Amino acid sequence: MEHHVLRPVHSPPTSSAHQLTGPASGSYVADFFHGVTTRTNSWPPGRRDLHWHLIPDAATVRTHLSGPYSSIIHRPGLGPVAPQWAHVTVLHSGPVEEFLPGEVEAVTERVRRCLVSMPPIELTFDRPSVGGVAVECAGRPGAAARRLWEVTAAATAAVVGDRFPLIPAQFYPHLSLAYGTGGAVADRREMKALLSDRPGEPLTMRFDQLSRVEQWHDMRSIRWSNRLDLPLAG
């Protein structure tokens, strides 16, 4: 396997425009999509960017996450993630249209060669937590999934150099159940109280492939197309 020096690009702190105003603004879920469209390396609505994902079984997500926590994620100010669009982002790469001819294929081939020796991974997702811009389930252990970030980031850097930032610059596995959408606001304190009364256990899922997708958003939800699955074959 080839080794390359990665140069992560850190996103700047969220702008003041992203923060909800008022004395209790930190108590509400802020607009996730406003953040990704106004950061330095912006991702505007409708633009297809290349992503690498671990994609869980939709039926499992529906049964154990989306369904049981429906009253938490279906609230004003949130865009719930439909089970078929649930994902663990490994790497958000550059705009598809900005890759030169043959570059996506070259990156994919480098990733494919590395995955041959990597076994499937298991991630245990904790009960949902209410973050600043999303409701998400943290995954653990992070080391195996982080290795996938290293592989995809190194393959991308080897082919395209530093034309695209590495997003995230510091990886931790998580699965989002809803994103903040602005407008009406979701009260984090109220949602945390509801979660404290909701039964539920951590969920372990096995991933035996890494998916390459072209992904876009419409300021409320995230979708993708043209998925290519590469097996974790070790």
Side-chain angles (χ1 to χ4, degrees):
M1 172 181 173
E2 300 178 44
H3 297 277
H4 301 272
V5 176
L6 305 180
R7 292 184 288 176
V9 176
H10 294 270
S11 299
T14 305
S15 68
S16 59
H18 188 194
Q19 301 301 317
L20 295 170
T21 59
S25 61
S27 298
Y28 298 99
V29 181
D31 188 341
F32 168 85
F33 297 100
H34 179 86
V36 299
T37 57
T38 59
R39 67 192 182 195
T40 300
N41 304 294
S42 65
W43 181 28
R47 191 184 75 189
R48 297 187 175 219
D49 284 11
L50 189 147
H51 284 65
W52 293 94
H53 284 338
L54 293 171
I55 300 179
D57 174 67
T60 300
V61 172
R62 181 180 297 107
T63 300
H64 296 280
L65 297 175
S66 300
Y69 299 105
S70 177
S71 63
I72 306 296
I73 63 178
H74 288 84
R75 307 177 69 81
L78 295 179
V81 178
Q84 67 268 30
W85 302 118
H87 60 280
V88 177
T89 298
V90 173
L91 182 72
H92 178 166
S93 189
V96 173
E97 63 183 14
E98 294 184 17
F99 281 86
L100 301 177
E103 285 186 334
V104 172
E105 293 77 10
V107 171
T108 301
E109 182 55 31
R110 286 176 176 269
V111 173
R112 187 195 307 273
R113 292 202 300 265
C114 293
L115 297 190
V116 168
S117 60
M118 296 183 64
I121 67 173
E122 285 191 347
L123 287 174
T124 296
F125 294 92
D126 292 323
R127 286 163 43 86
S129 62
V130 185
V133 296
V135 179
E136 66 181 37
C137 302
R140 51 187 167 82
R146 190 170 298 112
R147 181 65 182 131
L148 295 176
W149 179 91
E150 293 170 351
V151 165
T152 54
T156 303
V159 174
V160 306
D162 60 359
R163 295 207 323 263
F164 308 131
L166 301 177
I167 303 173
Q170 186 169 9
F171 175 81
Y172 70 96
H174 64 281
L175 188 153
S176 295
L177 299 182
Y179 298 105
T181 58
V185 292
D187 190 320
R188 295 178 66 197
R189 294 166 301 185
E190 179 183 356
M191 295 167 66
K192 289 179 179 180
L194 290 173
L195 278 169
S196 71
D197 295 330
R198 178 77 57 182
E201 300 294 334
L203 171 66
T204 299
M205 289 189 280
R206 174 186 169 96
F207 298 90
D208 58 10
Q209 60 192 19
L210 179 67
S211 299
R212 190 195 77 200
V213 306
E214 296 180 8
Q215 182 162 294
W216 70 94
H217 70 86
D218 59 5
M219 297 297 290
R220 183 171 178 81
S221 62
I222 290 175
R223 299 186 180 187
W224 62 77
S225 66
N226 298 340
R227 193 171 84 187
L228 171 67
D229 297 324
L230 299 181
L232 297 169

